[in-house]
Amino acid sequence: MRMSKMHMKTLREVPAEAEIPSHILLLRAGMIRKLVSGVYGFMPMGWRSLRKIEEIIRQEMDAAGGQEIHMSAIQPAELWQESGRWNDYGPELWRLQDRNGREFCLGPTHEEIFTDLIRSDVTSYRQLPVNLYQIQTKYRDEARPRFGLMRSREFIMKDAYSFDLNEEGLDESYRQMYEAYEKIYTRCGLTFRPVEADSGAIGGSNSHEFTALSEVGESEIAYCTHCDMAATSERAACTDDPAGEEAMLPMEEVETPGTKTIDAVCDYLHLDKKKSIKALLFVTYDEEGQENGYVAAFVRGDRELNMVKLCHALSIPEHAIAFAEEEKMAAATGCVGGFTGPVGLHDCTIVVDSELKGLKNGCAGACKADHHLINVNYGRDYEGDIIADIKLLQEGDPCPCCGSPIKYTRGIEVGQVFKLGTKYSKAMGATYKDENQKDQLIWMGCYGIGVSRTLAAIVEQHHDDAGIIWPVSVAPYHVIITLMKEKDAVQAALAEKIYQALTAAGAEVLLDDRRERPGVKFKDAELLGMPIQITVGRDAADGRVEYKLRREKDKSIKTAQEAVDEALALIEAER
Ligand code: ATP
Ligand code: MG
């Protein structure tokens, strides 16, 4: 491709709305273009990279037995009502009506559509297993679209669905997809880590997120330095501290003026925070968005509440709960802002972290202004409606598997695999007839890759101050030939010769033949980030060029033929 003919526009300035390197660089390199918040278009070079990622995904999905199809992004509400997700999915679901008032959504994911397809096409055990996938545009009306392609409202996803006879079949399909994902991200040049994950609105029992390690990632990953435990902070189990040995003392009310926080009350009473009980107050909503109850959650004073675990304990989606307005809740339940404890609270669901069952002689709010209760003991003084692990595993806590201290790192969720089991087949009646003509539920798995987010993650891991440093496998072009003086006939002829030789050998080449100053061309070559840079300048008279890899500092002078040979060898090895 000759850059003089290419539709492109690079920017010198950092666009105001962009905060993280991948967003800044993809905009500056003119590879993506914003339309409105969370909605982006792809320009020629960005689209080429995206298609390369798609191609890697296709090859590995096909190799693992997947078959590509393409379903509509528009989905009828009825299917979502059947699965129960028309309500559960919440405001992220992009809903619309046709001219006759029939309801639809723009698909954020396709479990319902694929389940519907299979229930009508599959009747016999002989038709299973099957794995279908598509690469398609998805829609989610994200509360806070940000970071460009990372969290957009329209994005490209690969979604695959496996259908098996039984649980063992699902385990095998899941394993195949897991391994395909490892190959895909490796080929994309990503440093990644599969971690145990929560299954969120998708549902199901078992799930892994594939995270590209990065400081700007929104996934918090708890991992063990000793064993191979790695999980998202949302999912990571947290071991209870062992129960105290001391004898229960009589419960007492004490005056604690103005001590509205755990720190304040523990300072005032000279208590270890591990002896205190922290309250968090919530209101819940029904399917119509009306308030339908209050929740008080209790964890030990030095712990943090894990909202995802709390929602699981309550069996409600995350959008159905919010912090309560204290005054309103006080009238209904007897709670007192800053002085709420489990004793004396009424008319609300009390969720108690499992660790508190073993806490002896704890200190909790007295549900009375400026007062706390000491020597509070579970079972004797209060009980919970729900007892569960609802606390966050924190850095330094013991690993739930081996007890070694936990560390934290951050990653970008580039994909997730789920064992759905029979959740959708049961809800939607997807069955097959077994060898004895008996109806059996189909076992399902689903497997997503954020294709456009993967593009951003690659840039996040491969850049420097000057621009992008594409891995060969996903680079828009393999080589950029910078022609210093396009009017110099000798230089132009040599650049053309190299361009032709490389192209004929199957390399993808950009020839910067624009009428621009060399400084501009060099800056753009750095910004655009093609892996191999060949500069044709003064030495052209001797048939020599400058050869440099974008990822390395050193450059060398080579004959045109040497440069071509070396470039082709590198492309062959890494494409
Ligand atoms: P997140 O937790 O980041 O909101 P998710 O877990 O809801 O994502 P999935 O339903 O697992 O997302 O979707 C599969 C993949 O699609 C994700 O792993 C991610 O790579 C990608 N993805 C999800 N939401 C977005 C988005 N708003 N913009 C770009 N990619 C997304
Ligand atoms: Mg996910």
Side-chain angles (χ1 to χ4, degrees), residues 244-262:
E245 295 286 315
E246 25 179 320
M248 289 192 231
L249 301 173
M251 188 169 78
E252 255 181 73
E253 188 180 287
V254 291
E255 214 174 324
T256 52
T259 59
K260 285 194 157 198
T261 61
I262 290 287

Side-chain angles (χ1 to χ4, degrees), residues 36-171:
V36 291
S37 164
V39 182
Y40 288 81
F42 294 86
M43 295 300 107
M45 280 186 276
W47 189 239
R48 282 180 72 95
S49 274
L50 192 99
R51 276 172 30 216
K52 288 197 173 175
I53 299 170
E54 288 187 356
E55 204 39 45
I56 291 173
I57 294 172
R58 278 199 180 91
Q59 288 171 3
E60 297 300 338
M61 290 302 296
D62 291 349
Q67 298 172 55
E68 186 171 3
I69 62 172
H70 195 89
M71 301 300 281
S72 165
I74 298 181
Q75 309 184 359
E78 295 83 51
L79 290 177
W80 284 73
Q81 281 152 354
E82 259 189 81
S83 72
R85 288 208 297 180
W86 188 251
N87 290 316
D88 285 356
Y89 215 93
E92 242 179 54
L93 191 62
W94 211 310
R95 296 158 211 259
L96 63 158
Q97 291 190 344
D98 71 6
R99 64 177 72 200
N100 301 314
R102 184 171 170 194
E103 289 196 287
F104 293 85
C105 66
L106 295 176
T109 171
H110 274 65
E111 283 75 16
E112 284 79 1
I113 307 307
F114 278 67
T115 309
D116 178 54
L117 178 77
I118 288 296
R119 75 175 163 185
S120 69
D121 288 358
V122 168
T123 48
S124 157
Y125 68 95
R126 282 186 235 101
Q127 293 165 279
L128 296 175
V130 64
N131 180 320
L132 300 174
Y133 76 96
Q134 62 178 351
I135 297 178
Q136 201 230 21
T137 307
K138 294 282 188 279
Y139 297 86
R140 293 185 185 181
D141 195 1
E142 296 275 355
R144 283 191 299 140
R146 60 194 176 282
F147 304 155
L149 301 180
M150 289 282 184
R151 185 168 298 285
S152 43
R153 299 196 290 169
E154 181 185 73
F155 59 97
I156 299 171
M157 196 204 285
K158 185 283 299 178
D159 45 330
Y161 304 85
S162 66
F163 302 88
D164 276 282
L165 294 172
N166 49 36
E167 192 167 6
E168 296 75 62
L170 167 59
D171 289 347

